[in-house]
Amino acid sequence: MTYSVNSTVYQSHLATNKVLRNTYALLGLTILFSALCAWGSLVMRLPHPNMLTMLVGFYGLSYLTTRYSHSALGLVFAFLFTGFLGYTTGPIIGIVLNSTSNGYAILSLSLLMTGVTFVSLSAYVLTTNQDMSYLGGSLFTLAVVGIIMAFASIFVQVPMLYAAVSGLFALISSGFILFHTSEIIHGGERNYIVATVSLFVAIYNLFISLLRIFMMFAGHRD
């Protein structure tokens, strides 16, 4: 009986929540576009952008996407933003494939775990109909702590700290998937472009974090 009720709630959300439907549709397209950009970046052996380019590209395109999210221009910036993240991912994937003896296995496992985590967490929120807005404050605090730890790991070359940062960001990303999905179904987020970008960033960070964690246990090429 409980399973039947939960399935009904899940189907109801997909059928009646226009923002949710549009978000999932756009999310699928942006993930595909980002993957194509990552592949192109990998094939052309493009270098990873420096820190300044990353910051300007990420926050600049993120701002423009939000600024024009109520117009068709917002869709253009959403694809530019996700495409930019795809471009930055290509060199990272190249490092994984070229520096480890089981790079393709690491990449496949990271993609699989990211997909399973996203689907599982989203399904949980949709079927239980739980309001996860209470996570907002904790996730923000953890994100600040994570950023501080990430900067510290640059200067303190300790493998365990590096692993802790990646694990923390994987946890934070999972929390944001719960939070943003809940915001959509409970009316906290009514703009599907903003919702799409928010979920995309959470998925992207989860994938990169898992990729880094699995790399730590990989065998390096001779």
Side-chain angles (χ1 to χ4, degrees), residues 75-98:
L75 288 172
V76 175
F77 284 120
F79 277 98
L80 289 176
F81 175 71
T82 55
F84 174 75
L85 290 182
Y87 148 65
T88 64
T89 305
I92 299 175
I93 294 176
I95 293 174
V96 174
L97 298 180
N98 295 324

Side-chain angles (χ1 to χ4, degrees), residues 3-24:
Y3 175 79
S4 177
V5 173
N6 287 341
S7 297
T8 301
V9 172
Y10 177 76
Q11 294 296 333
S12 176
H13 280 311
L14 291 179
T16 62
N17 195 318
K18 182 179 178 180
V19 176
L20 184 64
R21 296 200 310 273
N22 289 342
T23 297
Y24 280 173

Side-chain angles (χ1 to χ4, degrees), residues 62-199:
S62 177
Y63 168 77
L64 291 172
T65 301
T66 303
R67 172 68 175 78
Y68 295 99
S69 61
H70 293 283
S71 67
L73 196 56
L75 288 172
V76 175
F77 284 120
F79 277 98
L80 289 176
F81 175 71
T82 55
F84 174 75
L85 290 182
Y87 148 65
T88 64
T89 305
I92 299 175
I93 294 176
I95 293 174
V96 174
L97 298 180
N98 295 324
S99 64
T100 60
S101 57
N102 52 349
Y104 285 99
I106 293 173
L107 178 60
S108 299
L109 183 58
S110 299
L111 288 170
L112 177 63
M113 289 297 295
T114 300
V116 169
T117 301
F118 171 70
V119 171
S120 299
L121 294 177
S122 299
Y124 173 77
V125 177
L126 293 173
T127 55
T128 61
N129 203 35
Q130 288 194 28
D131 186 352
M132 297 290 181
S133 59
Y134 67 89
L135 292 175
S138 299
L139 290 172
F140 176 79
T141 302
L142 286 174
V144 172
V145 172
I147 292 173
I148 294 174
M149 290 177 61
F151 276 107
S153 67
I154 297 175
F155 303 100
V156 182
Q157 300 294 323
V158 179
M160 288 305 297
L161 178 59
Y162 188 78
V165 171
S166 297
L168 179 59
F169 273 104
L171 178 64
I172 294 171
S173 300
S174 299
F176 271 118
I177 291 173
L178 291 171
F179 175 78
H180 290 308
T181 303
S182 174
E183 286 286 281
I184 295 171
I185 66 175
H186 290 287
E189 180 55 73
R190 299 182 180 278
N191 187 296
Y192 75 96
I193 295 178
V194 174
T196 297
V197 170
S198 298
L199 283 175

Side-chain angles (χ1 to χ4, degrees), residues 33-42 46-58 61 80-96 200 204-205 207-208 211-212:
F33 180 68
S34 183
L36 290 173
C37 290
W39 177 79
S41 177
L42 176 63
L46 297 179
H48 193 277
N50 58 39
M51 182 62 70
L52 179 60
T53 303
M54 281 290 298
L55 291 175
V56 172
F58 182 90
L61 290 172
L80 289 176
F81 175 71
T82 55
F84 174 75
L85 290 182
Y87 148 65
T88 64
T89 305
I92 299 175
I93 294 176
I95 293 174
V96 174
F200 184 95
Y204 171 83
N205 286 330
F207 169 69
I208 295 297
L211 198 63
R212 288 172 175 168

